[in-house]
Amino acid sequence: MNLKRIFGSILTLLGIGSLIYTAVLFSNTTDSTHDIKSLIIYGVLGLIFFSSGISLVRTIKDES
């Protein structure tokens, strides 16, 4: 297995975890600005990790 594919899988899993954490924060949020900042930060980082991990896995070809 290729090292880039493993790194892409790790990034994808981190993105999924961050998006799930954002969903949990969203369900427990009140009207506090601290909660909204956390939602934005974790949501954006989750989207970046998820999209970069998926694109890395899709572009790497297996050369076995």
Side-chain angles (χ1 to χ4, degrees):
M1 196 168 192
N2 200 354
L3 185 63
K4 289 182 183 179
R5 189 174 286 260
I6 293 171
F7 186 64
S9 299
I10 291 171
L11 281 177
T12 305
L13 290 176
L14 281 173
I16 290 171
S18 180
L19 290 174
I20 290 173
Y21 186 66
T22 303
V24 169
L25 282 180
F26 182 72
S27 65
N28 294 332
T29 190
T30 58
D31 291 332
S32 171
T33 57
H34 182 268
D35 291 338
I36 294 173
K37 284 182 184 178
S38 298
L39 281 172
I40 293 171
I41 290 170
Y42 290 126
V44 168
L45 284 176
L47 285 174
I48 290 171
F49 285 167
F50 183 74
S51 63
S52 64
I54 290 293
S55 67
L56 191 61
V57 169
R58 289 183 71 188
T59 58
I60 300 301
K61 305 249 192 276
D62 276 335
E63 298 174 358
S64 299

